[in-house]
Amino acid sequence: MAGILNNLYPPIVDTMMPSFVRTTACKVYFSLSSYNDSADIQNVQVTVSNQNSSLTALDPTQYPAGVKITSLNVDTDIKSDDRYYITISPSDLKDGAFEINQYYKVQIRFTGTGAAAFTSSTKVAAWLTNNQAYFSEWSTVCLIKGIQQPLIYIKGFDSNDTSSSIETVFTVSEVVDVVGSMYYDENEDEDEYLASYEVNIYDSYSRAVYESGIQYSNEYYPNEINHKVKANLTDSTEYTLSITYTTNNGYSNTVSYTFMTVSNGIDVLNATISVEADEENGRMIVTVVSTDTTEFLSNLCIRRTSSESNFTIWEDVYISLINQGSALNLTWYDYTVESGVWYRYCAQKINAKGQRGTIITNRHPVMIYLDDIFLTREGMQIRIKYDPNISSFKTTLSESRTETIGSKYPYIRRNGNVAYRQFPISGLVTAFMDEDGAFISKDSTFGDNLEYYEEYNEENLITDYNDFVYEREFRKQVMDFLYANKATLFRSLSEGNILVRLMDVSFTPNATLGRMLYSFSATAYEIDECSLDNFEKYGIQTVGEYSTYIEYTYEQKGQLAGTYVGTTQDVITSIQSEIDLKTISGYIETIYYLKWLRIEFQGDPYLIVCGKDGSLTPATASDTVTENTVYGYIVYINNEAILVSPRGYYELLDEDTEVISVWFPVSSEVIVDYIGYISEEEDTSSYASRLYYYTRAGQLWGTFDTNTSLSKQIYTKYYLDYKAYYQKLTAIDRITVESSPGAVVYVKDSFDDDYYRHVVGPTGILDFYDDEATISAFYFCGMHLNPMTDETRLEPEDDEYYDTGITVYSLDSITNPVKNGVYTVVATESSEDETDAALSAVSADEDSGEVTVEESETIYDEDEATYTLLLSEIISDSDQYIWYRGQWYTFTSDGDVLCPVEGLVDYIYELIKGEY
């Protein structure tokens, strides 16, 4: 204690230190009294006891008196007063480690005289007794707790190693779903849990791209990490994902991962997205339509960004499972848009594992201009179109005014953080403010009685302008909406979007119209900020969740014909085999059962022995015709024997019977008609557990015919598919074409549905690159020639053509064609055959260079079909041919020779490798 010989005061220590990993040393931080200096302290005495028993936890061999004498340490990185600390190591304890789920009590006091290490309890006791005058008082109790090493699992990453250089790829640039958990390997009984975490993303220069702020864990699933990064990440750019987590007792650590983004080619959504502002109903109409007729089966996500974030933050606004068994054709309405704000939307697929695919987006932002006031909640919306009025608008603050005798002016203080808006609102209630049925409709109001209602109105000359009944029913629905004890989204042009609760709602009838119409008034109070998270929280507009099991069930008629050899061959198995042949990649189709069945036997009936127990057995050679034998056929349905008459026809008429097995005891030739109940589901086994992404350069050269798909050649070049991994090209970002001046190239990019014609100029180089688009397909399509202008020359130059003006019925009739001379062929049936034969002789000598790979055959089918149609139209529109380089070729109206072209293509491509 402090006195004449001792001026030491006890350390100032917190009641508890943050948790620490129990296999490491614990640092107990404290500060010194303002009356003491570190030079006054020779050493520090420490006691550690079990909180449950209060018995010492120190190793008696090292510390026989239960007191550890150690030095005073200073943490130079800490500038505050509590920079002093002592260390308690696991080796200081009896068991050599801190116990799991055990709190320890630590007390500290200072010593003003030196001390040596004591191994004898007698010597320690004597030293403590003789030097009491140099000790401070004991500090207050400080609790410490050692925990197991927490581990962090983040979906898509395999390791906690922060130095990992492996590039883990998220499949879309605009979103990263950080989903995972904190867990322990050592012991499942650890009671320390995740309290909060922060998700930060940094670029390669360590600049913060995204900071989530503190995210608190779910109280029901406290160790769960689930955060959606709402940042616009640049494609093909390396980032660092940093997760800082804190447990309930203050242990904190940070793990980091390196990843890249790729937005093209992975799980492509073959569709277009369009956005239209519907100002009459105060909403955006978002339409997503497939570009092909393929059945769509997947989760669909629509995302939104706005000019308020400078189009950098993308947020989910709609997620739903689409399993209608048809091509994608979705129309969705966004009722939360704010007037005067520009919006962009995108759509993408989400598979059953939550992995997101490539986005499609509307290239130009759209803005809505609201002329009326809108009140929105839970998919319903009231449009205050007539007599809308807001008579005042104020922000309520918690302020006080104090007047004093000595001051001429009052003292005004603002208390707390209160700041909410309130305003009165009124308007006329009539069914005409909901002409498009965005709120309710007559169908939903009258239901099955609508027919009677309409007939009555027609007979009594009641129109929409004097329909008291519907106005009353409409008003009742409006009353229910306004009186509901729920949050409402208020939207207008002047005030913007405000999340409010309506109070003091009242209605006033309009006497001049016989009380057919009412006016309402209410006071709106702001209750929270407008955000998509709050819209979801208050039920204004729900986003939805992706389905972890993607399935579509349907009924299908079918027929099988053939010979079934006996018990080893089940008809259901044969049907499944046929279904497997037609199943598209990435899906699994399974026949659950047959709900209708008809069997027609083609062979002769055979003798059947009927047992006394009702069994049916095909007769053997030794069996004779008796009263227990019949002629017919046997079929086993669900392993039950069915006797079929000699006519050979059997039909299952019981609709409640689900047929899961059909087989025959002897070889039977049959025709089976059926209706099967079939399930189609997503094949999650085809999804890679880890993805690697590369951007590289490549080159293609050779002689290319007009029907050679260069994009397909590039895809085929990199395609691999093995049991352990797959590899495929995801996008062609850039192409540079080097060829003779005049070479014609048709190119289609990801933003266009059509091919565009380009001609190589005098430099011999064409470059195709767009920051926002990728190359979908491209072809060489012959050489472009210019007309011969100098008539004095005997023949045209190599890059010119000469129009001979000669018309023939067949190319064979031209015995001495002119170099680069153009001739017109008058089509007759015989001349077409001769011309086709002449042209086919040329194309037969040309090697298209196509390489076929089973998987790649379907990759560019749509682009190839589009180009093939374009090329056929070009050829059919031309009746001219040119003698070019010693061969006959089609000559187009654009001055193009449809001939092979020598060229070199340099390209930048994106490649993905997935490990199963």
Side-chain angles (χ1 to χ4, degrees):
M1 60 180 290
I4 296 175
L5 299 178
N6 177 18
N7 63 348
L8 293 180
Y9 288 86
I12 304 169
V13 62
D14 288 339
T15 57
M16 185 173 181
M17 288 291 110
S19 297
F20 58 95
V21 177
R22 73 188 195 95
T23 56
T24 63
C26 171
K27 293 182 178 180
V28 180
Y29 285 87
F30 50 84
S31 58
L32 305 182
S33 168
S34 59
Y35 297 104
N36 292 140
D37 185 82
S38 59
D40 302 331
I41 302 168
Q42 296 298 312
N43 50 59
V44 182
Q45 299 177 38
V46 183
T47 63
V48 182
S49 58
N50 190 307
Q51 187 190 36
N52 294 333
S53 64
S54 295
L55 298 176
T56 182
L58 292 173
D59 181 9
T61 303
Q62 301 180 67
Y63 312 108
V67 178
K68 176 182 178 179
I69 300 175
T70 185
S71 60
L72 177 69
N73 301 303
V74 181
D75 192 334
T76 56
D77 293 331
I78 299 177
K79 303 304 179 184
S80 58
D81 292 338
D82 58 346
R83 60 183 178 273
Y84 303 96
Y85 70 92
I86 56 95
T87 300
I88 303 172
S89 300
S91 58
D92 293 332
L93 305 186
K94 293 178 182 178
D95 300 327
F98 292 93
E99 295 182 20
I100 296 175
N101 299 330
Q102 176 64 59
Y103 289 92
Y104 296 89
K105 296 187 294 185
V106 176
Q107 285 187 285
I108 305 170
R109 70 177 177 184
F110 297 142
T111 303
T113 184
F118 298 103
T119 58
S120 169
S121 59
T122 304
K123 293 181 179 181
V124 174
W127 183 85
L128 291 173
T129 302
N130 296 332
N131 293 281
Q132 287 188 25
Y134 299 99
F135 300 159
S136 72
E137 296 286 354
W138 287 103
S139 69
T140 57
V141 172
C142 175
L143 295 180
I144 63 173
K145 181 189 179 188
I147 64 173
Q148 302 171 49
Q149 174 63 64
L151 299 175
I152 297 296
Y153 163 74
I154 299 298
K155 187 176 182 180
F157 297 95
D158 294 340
S159 172
N160 282 276
D161 182 7
T162 59
S163 63
S164 174
S165 61
I166 296 176
E167 299 172 345
T168 300
V169 179
F170 289 90
T171 58
V172 63
S173 63
E174 280 76 7
V175 62
V176 176
D177 288 327
V178 180
V179 179
S181 63
M182 187 186 80
Y183 68 99
Y184 302 94
D185 269 349
E186 186 179 347
N187 192 308
E188 295 182 356
D189 295 330
E190 176 65 70
D191 60 10
E192 192 86 356
Y193 59 86
L194 180 67
S196 64
Y197 59 91
E198 295 182 52
V199 178
N200 301 318
I201 294 180
Y202 303 93
D203 62 15
S204 57
Y205 300 100
S206 298
R207 296 175 299 195
V209 176
Y210 176 81
E211 296 177 331
S212 70
I214 297 177
Q215 304 293 310
Y216 294 98
S217 61
N218 188 318
E219 60 179 318
Y220 300 105
Y221 304 97
N223 288 331
E224 180 181 281
I225 296 174
N226 194 334
H227 182 73
K228 195 180 302 300
V229 176
K230 303 169 184 176
N232 183 21
L233 304 181
T234 305
D235 192 30
S236 306
T237 301
E238 184 175 282
Y239 294 97
T240 298
L241 171 66
S242 173
I243 299 177
T244 300
Y245 62 95
T246 304
T247 66
N248 58 308
N249 285 315
Y251 174 80
S252 183
N253 194 16
T254 300
V255 294
S256 300
Y257 309 90
T258 301
F259 71 96
M260 293 184 69
T261 60
V262 51
S263 63
N264 297 306
I266 305 175
D267 209 8
V268 177
L269 176 60
N270 295 316
T272 59
I273 183 171
S274 60
V275 183
E276 178 186 355
D278 181 6
E279 297 181 349
E280 285 294 312
N281 293 295
R283 62 191 181 185
M284 290 289 189
I285 303 176
V286 183
T287 305
V288 184
V289 180
S290 292
T291 55
D292 53 36
T293 58
T294 305
E295 166 193 313
F296 184 84
L297 177 60
S298 181
N299 294 299
L300 181 70
C301 174
I302 297 176
R303 315 194 75 238
R304 187 181 83 182
T305 187
S306 71
S307 56
E308 291 185 326
S309 68
N310 199 24
F311 303 106
T312 59
I313 295 179
W314 289 85
E315 298 179 276
D316 293 345
V317 290
Y318 174 83
I319 298 175
S320 180
L321 172 63
I322 309 296
N323 59 347
Q324 303 301 317
S326 58
L328 178 62
N329 190 346
L330 173 75
T331 300
W332 177 76
Y333 303 102
D334 188 355
Y335 289 98
T336 62
V337 290
E338 185 170 357
S339 184
V341 177
W342 294 94
Y343 292 93
R344 289 183 64 190
Y345 292 82
C346 71
Q348 63 185 163
K349 295 166 68 175
I350 303 179
N351 64 29
K353 289 189 175 181
Q355 299 169 339
R356 294 172 179 258
T358 306
I359 65 167
I360 57 170
T361 182
N362 65 315
R363 182 173 260 185
H364 302 291
V366 181
M367 185 184 74
I368 195 168
Y369 195 92
L370 302 179
D371 291 325
D372 304 312
I373 293 175
F374 293 88
L375 299 176
T376 306
R377 183 182 65 241
E378 297 177 338
M380 302 180 70
Q381 177 171 273
I382 293 177
R383 177 187 181 190
I384 305 174
K385 182 177 181 180
Y386 303 102
D387 299 338
N389 185 42
I390 296 177
S391 58
S392 65
F393 192 94
K394 74 171 185 175
T395 299
T396 300
L397 304 170
S398 180
E399 297 175 322
S400 63
R401 185 182 75 252
T402 303
E403 298 175 350
T404 62
I405 297 176
S407 175
K408 178 179 179 181
Y409 302 103
Y411 294 95
I412 298 177
R413 294 179 175 84
R414 181 166 296 175
N415 305 314
N417 196 34
V418 175
Y420 63 89
R421 293 171 286 183
Q422 68 178 74
F423 49 94
I425 179 175
S426 62
L428 182 67
V429 178
T430 172
F432 285 101
M433 67 190 206
D434 186 43
E435 294 174 318
D436 293 336
F439 182 60
I440 62 171
S441 64
K442 291 184 178 180
D443 287 333
S444 62
T445 302
F446 298 106
D448 296 337
N449 298 319
L450 178 60
E451 181 182 352
Y452 306 124
Y453 166 83
E454 291 178 338
E455 289 178 358
Y456 180 86
N457 284 359
E458 185 177 355
E459 293 173 359
N460 292 274
L461 303 179
I462 297 175
T463 66
D464 292 339
Y465 295 96
N466 62 344
D467 193 341
F468 277 73
V469 175
Y470 185 60
E471 286 288 349
R472 181 193 67 203
E473 296 300 321
F474 182 85
R475 184 171 62 252
K476 287 167 62 176
Q477 295 291 333
V478 172
M479 287 181 172
D480 292 342
F481 182 90
L482 297 179
Y483 281 125
N485 186 27
K486 297 179 180 179
T488 302
L489 177 60
F490 169 92
R491 297 186 299 143
S492 71
L493 177 62
S494 300
E495 290 76 26
N497 286 13
I498 306 176
L499 196 56
V500 302
R501 282 284 298 275
L502 299 177
M503 300 178 65
D504 305 323
V505 180
S506 64
F507 289 81
T508 304
N510 190 324
T512 58
L513 296 175
R515 304 191 309 283
M516 183 176 75
L517 304 182
Y518 278 56
S519 295
F520 86 95
S521 63
T523 303
Y525 295 87
E526 184 179 19
I527 61 169
D528 213 332
E529 65 178 10
C530 283
S531 68
L532 288 176
D533 290 337
N534 282 336
F535 295 159
E536 177 84 14
K537 173 182 176 182
Y538 294 107
I540 304 301
Q541 181 170 278
T542 57
V543 176
E545 296 181 353
Y546 71 88
S547 174
T548 57
Y549 181 65
I550 298 176
E551 181 190 32
Y552 166 64
T553 57
Y554 62 96
E555 295 178 0
Q556 177 177 291
K557 294 181 180 179
Q559 185 182 78
L560 288 178
T563 300
Y564 289 82
V565 297
T567 58
T568 60
Q569 190 173 11
D570 196 309
V571 172
I572 303 294
T573 304
S574 299
I575 296 174
Q576 181 65 59
S577 298
E578 286 202 351
I579 292 174
D580 291 341
L581 293 174
K582 301 176 182 178
T583 302
I584 60 176
S585 176
Y587 296 92
I588 299 174
E589 290 193 76
T590 306
I591 181 164
Y592 281 162
Y593 57 85
L594 305 181
K595 62 179 302 181
W596 175 78
L597 176 68
R598 184 174 64 191
I599 302 174
E600 180 181 350
F601 289 86
Q602 300 297 299
D604 295 331
Y606 49 84
L607 190 64
I608 299 171
V609 178
C610 303
K612 294 182 180 180
D613 57 355
S615 61
L616 301 174
T617 307
T620 63
S622 61
D623 290 324
T624 59
V625 177
T626 66
E627 59 181 8
N628 294 325
T629 59
V630 294
Y631 277 95
Y633 308 89
I634 300 175
V635 58
Y636 278 82
I637 298 178
N638 294 345
N639 292 321
E640 293 288 336
I642 304 295
L643 178 63
V644 181
S645 71
R647 294 178 58 250
Y649 288 94
Y650 174 79
E651 182 175 355
L652 180 66
L653 299 177
D654 185 4
E655 295 182 355
D656 297 329
T657 300
E658 298 178 355
V659 178
I660 60 174
S661 174
V662 179
W663 55 276
F664 307 95
V666 297
S667 179
S668 303
E669 183 181 357
V670 295
I671 297 175
V672 180
D673 296 294
Y674 64 88
I675 296 178
Y677 187 76
I678 300 172
S679 165
E680 181 181 6
E681 62 183 89
E682 198 174 43
D683 183 8
T684 57
S685 65
S686 63
Y687 298 142
S689 61
R690 190 167 179 82
L691 299 173
Y692 305 93
Y693 168 72
Y694 312 93
T695 300
R696 293 175 176 170
Q699 193 175 72
L700 196 66
W701 66 90
T703 301
F704 305 102
D705 202 357
T706 56
N707 62 352
T708 300
S709 171
L710 278 75
S711 49
K712 187 171 181 178
Q713 280 197 17
I714 295 173
Y715 180 91
T716 303
K717 185 177 180 180
Y718 300 105
Y719 180 80
L720 297 172
D721 192 3
Y722 299 105
K723 289 183 178 181
Y725 72 92
Y726 72 87
Q727 172 184 287
K728 65 179 179 180
L729 180 136
T730 61
I732 302 174
D733 295 331
R734 183 174 194 161
I735 59 173
T736 301
V737 177
E738 297 184 33
S739 186
S740 301
V744 179
V745 184
Y746 277 84
V747 180
K748 178 177 181 288
D749 65 31
S750 57
F751 273 122
D752 294 312
D753 295 329
D754 300 320
Y755 283 86
Y756 289 92
R757 175 178 171 271
H758 306 270
V759 179
V760 176
T763 62
I765 297 176
L766 269 180
D767 188 56
F768 299 92
Y769 177 71
D770 188 322
D771 286 335
E772 298 184 359
T774 58
I775 306 299
S776 300
F778 63 103
Y779 292 78
F780 278 106
C781 194
M783 295 291 295
H784 175 73
L785 303 181
N786 299 311
M788 177 179 173
T789 56
D790 188 356
E791 300 291 342
T792 62
R793 294 204 309 267
L794 296 178
E795 62 179 24
E797 300 288 345
D798 290 342
D799 61 349
E800 296 178 332
Y801 70 88
Y802 171 66
D803 190 348
T804 64
I806 298 174
T807 300
V808 297
Y809 290 103
S810 171
L811 294 177
D812 290 340
S813 62
I814 304 174
T815 57
N816 190 22
V818 177
K819 172 189 173 182
N820 294 5
V822 176
Y823 300 83
T824 302
V825 176
V826 177
T828 64
E829 185 173 348
S830 59
S831 68
E832 283 184 352
D833 293 339
E834 293 172 357
T835 301
D836 290 343
L839 293 176
S840 63
V842 176
S843 60
D845 294 333
E846 300 294 339
D847 181 11
S848 67
E850 297 277 355
V851 181
T852 59
V853 175
E854 180 179 355
E855 173 69 15
S856 68
E857 289 178 356
T858 60
I859 299 298
Y860 294 99
D861 282 353
E862 182 185 350
D863 294 329
E864 285 186 304
T866 304
Y867 177 79
T868 301
L869 179 61
L870 172 66
L871 186 61
S872 64
E873 290 176 351
I874 292 174
I875 295 174
S876 62
D877 290 343
S878 175
D879 58 356
Q880 291 187 314
Y881 299 89
I882 187 171
W883 182 253
Y884 182 71
R885 297 177 181 173
Q887 301 283 356
W888 287 111
Y889 295 102
T890 301
F891 188 74
T892 73
S893 57
D894 291 325
D896 298 344
V897 183
L898 302 187
C899 63
V901 176
E902 291 185 3
L904 182 148
V905 180
D906 295 304
Y907 53 88
I908 304 295
Y909 66 96
E910 298 174 16
L911 189 71
I912 185 171
K913 178 182 178 181
E915 295 179 352
Y916 295 114

